[in-house]
Amino acid sequence: MPHRARLTVDLSAIDQNFRTIAEAAAGAEVAPVIKADAYGLGAARIAASLWKAGARTFFVARLEEGEAVRRCLGSDREARIFLLDGLIPGTEDRVRRSALIPVLADAGQVTAARVAGADLPVGLHVDTGMNRQGLSLPELAELSNSRDLRPVLLMSHLGSATRPEDPRNRLQFERFAAARRLFPALPCSLAASAGVFLGPEWCFDMVRPGVSLFGGGPFERPDPRLRAVATLYAPILYVRTVEAGEHLGYGSNLKAERVMRIAVAAVGYADGLLRRGGGRSEAWFAGARRPVCFINMDLLAIEIGNTPAAPGERVELLGPNLPLDDLAAATDTVAHECLVRLGTRASRRYVRS
């Protein structure tokens, strides 16, 4: 539909990012995190593409996400699927039916896993200092000789890996090393996207990249090693001239200090853009970045100066010319949120470049 915004998801770029991360991981298994519908980009298509690229282990958050990924992979594409939410009491049968692996993150989930039986494979999440989820080191120590659990992975999560110089990283590393000594034969995983690029010693046996698979830089800035995956375009609906002294959009906060030419495009916060990007973010049009004046529910305006423009021409809001991390910085958020907010109103297509 020519009047709708379009989101293009480049599967070749995801596969290339997977290979780039695998090279940085120095032999560790690369297990993609495709929670939240693969950060809003479509877990079914992305899981199948990554499986073909070599991924055999995946992480999701919710039980329903794990069931959906299992269905899309089918019985002929074997893969391990870990549930970061863990084992919620009452869901044991569903977990077994879809052959999912819950990651136990507190004592109650450990109890639920013991009730479910020692044949159920589980992961163990140890809290090394993020203080969000995970077993304490004393709780983990109590499990080190347990015979009524079947752990297949020991993992933790770094809270400050996007800032390599932060001393919290080394503290968590040392605590994870202590946890690893309790389970010396168990495969271990500490690094997510940013952790992978801290260096090989952080990668252990498995890494769990998420946002960097989808083009987000590991250190919250564009990284030339990673390709843009999502591109959001919108068609221009109107080209207008705003006289000096006139106001733009809602309220009276935005006033034209000079004569302005603006292009109004068919995209807005109903399509997942952040409203606060008005006056702060940029769009790409006619070979250059253009300031975004305002973002409404269905429309946004960019200033185009004397550049020729006509209805139907496309404006890029996110993509190769506007890296994900630049958009995140302009709107005081992270690349993860910029991706997962992308809604379903924009038409969507999957391509291989």
Side-chain angles (χ1 to χ4, degrees):
M1 302 294 288
H3 59 281
R4 291 174 63 188
R6 170 184 284 176
L7 178 67
T8 298
V9 180
D10 189 339
L11 297 174
S12 296
I14 294 177
D15 293 350
Q16 180 59 52
N17 291 343
F18 176 82
R19 290 189 289 269
T20 297
I21 292 167
E23 183 177 354
E29 180 183 4
V30 180
V33 178
I34 53 172
K35 61 185 180 179
D37 197 28
Y39 288 48
L41 299 182
R45 296 292 296 269
I46 288 172
S49 182
L50 285 169
W51 193 94
K52 190 173 182 180
R56 293 296 180 269
T57 301
F58 298 90
F59 283 81
V60 297
R62 305 279 113 91
L63 171 59
E64 292 82 0
E65 295 171 357
E67 292 171 328
V69 172
R70 181 63 73 198
R71 285 194 299 270
C72 84
L73 290 176
S75 59
D76 58 337
R77 289 181 288 199
E78 294 184 7
R80 296 191 302 171
I81 303 172
F82 284 86
L83 294 179
L84 293 169
D85 276 356
L87 183 63
I88 308 302
T91 64
E92 295 87 351
D93 288 344
R94 290 174 63 182
V95 168
R96 287 183 184 279
R97 280 198 300 271
S98 292
L100 305 176
I101 306 173
V103 180
L104 309 182
D106 71 7
Q109 293 190 349
V110 171
T111 298
R114 282 172 163 157
V115 171
D119 61 324
L120 179 69
V122 298
L124 299 176
H125 187 147
V126 57
D127 181 11
T128 56
M130 194 169 177
N131 293 297
R132 183 180 67 173
Q133 65 194 123
L135 300 159
S136 67
L137 278 171
E139 288 173 326
L140 189 70
E142 291 180 3
L143 304 179
S144 59
N145 294 314
S146 176
R147 296 183 179 276
D148 52 0
L149 288 176
R150 184 187 162 199
V152 296
L153 179 71
L154 176 67
M155 64 167 280
S156 190
H157 195 65
L158 293 167
S160 300
T162 57
R163 299 191 298 272
E165 72 286 353
D166 195 317
R168 183 186 184 195
N169 292 321
R170 182 54 60 178
L171 174 63
Q172 287 196 258
F173 182 94
E174 292 170 355
R175 289 174 176 174
F176 189 64
R180 191 184 189 197
R181 288 192 289 270
L182 297 171
F183 292 86
L186 200 59
C188 296
S189 178
L190 177 63
S193 288
V196 174
F197 293 91
L198 292 177
E201 69 171 325
W202 299 82
C203 295
F204 292 93
D205 304 298
M206 176 193 290
V207 297
R208 312 181 311 275
V211 72
S212 287
L213 279 173
F214 310 118
F219 304 127
E220 296 184 344
R221 59 181 179 268
D223 191 310
R225 293 170 291 185
L226 301 169
R227 291 178 58 188
V229 169
T231 301
L232 181 64
Y233 289 110
I236 293 174
L237 294 177
Y238 322 106
V239 179
R240 303 176 63 86
T241 299
V242 180
E243 299 296 333
E246 290 293 322
H247 292 84
L248 289 78
Y250 288 107
S252 300
N253 297 324
L254 181 57
K255 182 179 179 179
E257 301 297 332
R258 63 190 184 286
V259 176
M260 298 173 61
R261 284 184 71 244
I262 63 170
V264 180
V267 65
Y269 59 77
D271 301 284
L273 297 176
L274 286 160
R275 182 173 177 268
R276 63 176 173 269
R280 304 167 68 177
S281 61
E282 296 176 306
W284 181 268
F285 177 69
R289 291 192 178 202
R290 314 285 176 171
V292 174
C293 302
F294 63 77
I295 299 175
N296 296 159
M297 181 181 291
D298 310 302
L299 303 170
L300 62 72
I302 65 171
E303 185 177 2
I304 58 173
N306 295 322
T307 302
E313 293 186 85
R314 295 194 304 176
V315 174
E316 181 184 323
L317 287 312
L318 171 68
N321 299 300
L322 290 166
L324 188 56
D325 292 286
D326 284 354
L327 177 61
T331 50
D332 290 334
T333 187
V334 291
H336 314 60
E337 183 182 6
C338 292
L339 285 177
V340 300
R341 288 180 61 88
L342 295 175
T344 58
R345 189 165 71 168
S347 65
R348 185 172 297 204
R349 67 171 183 165
Y350 294 86
V351 302
R352 290 196 173 276
S353 58

